[in-house]
Amino acid sequence: MGLFDRFKKQKPAVNEDGQQVVKVTVDGGYQPETVRLAKGVPAKLVFERVSDKGCLEVVHSPELGFEAELPLNQEVSFDVKTDQRGEYGLACGMNMFKGKVVVK
């Protein structure tokens, strides 16, 4: 994996009114695969499924406490707790496509 590929798979949060917001595009996987959040700052993940490829109609994270269907071409948001440092997984409904949230 080249240096460009590593940056492509990660994306920093954008600060919107004191809240960290990361938009995740769902298109044959999660883009970015890794979301980085700062500890102690409110955060929101915004998923948008733009393709019907794969089994990505559902996203869930038992560790972060969310699960929902992702309608095609619609944004679905989740508030994420950032009070604890760590790495938290997320996946499609069949656990075939995976991503992670890193809180530092």
Side-chain angles (χ1 to χ4, degrees), residues 3-46:
L3 184 60
F4 177 74
D5 293 326
R6 286 187 192 150
F7 284 113
K8 187 173 146 185
K9 292 185 179 192
Q10 298 181 23
K11 184 176 182 180
V14 174
N15 189 327
E16 292 183 8
D17 298 322
Q19 183 178 39
Q20 302 174 87
V21 178
V22 178
K23 294 186 178 180
V24 179
T25 301
V26 182
D27 183 8
Y30 300 107
Q31 300 166 15
E33 288 179 354
T34 301
V35 172
R36 298 196 177 282
L37 300 172
K39 180 182 180 278
V41 180
K44 176 169 60 173
L45 298 179
V46 181

Side-chain angles (χ1 to χ4, degrees), residues 34-63:
T34 301
V35 172
R36 298 196 177 282
L37 300 172
K39 180 182 180 278
V41 180
K44 176 169 60 173
L45 298 179
V46 181
F47 290 86
E48 183 176 8
R49 184 168 66 100
V50 297
S51 170
D52 61 358
K53 292 187 259 178
C55 59
L56 293 155
E57 300 89 8
V58 172
V59 64
H60 70 104
S61 175
E63 298 167 311

Side-chain angles (χ1 to χ4, degrees), residues 84-88 101-104:
Q84 302 257 346
R85 295 184 200 283
E87 291 189 9
Y88 306 94
V101 175
V102 178
V103 178
K104 286 191 170 191

Side-chain angles (χ1 to χ4, degrees), residues 52-89:
D52 61 358
K53 292 187 259 178
C55 59
L56 293 155
E57 300 89 8
V58 172
V59 64
H60 70 104
S61 175
E63 298 167 311
L64 294 172
F66 66 78
E67 179 172 353
E69 290 188 22
L70 299 176
L72 197 58
N73 299 315
Q74 294 181 31
E75 291 186 346
V76 177
S77 301
F78 302 100
D79 291 325
V80 176
K81 291 184 182 182
T82 60
D83 55 339
Q84 302 257 346
R85 295 184 200 283
E87 291 189 9
Y88 306 94

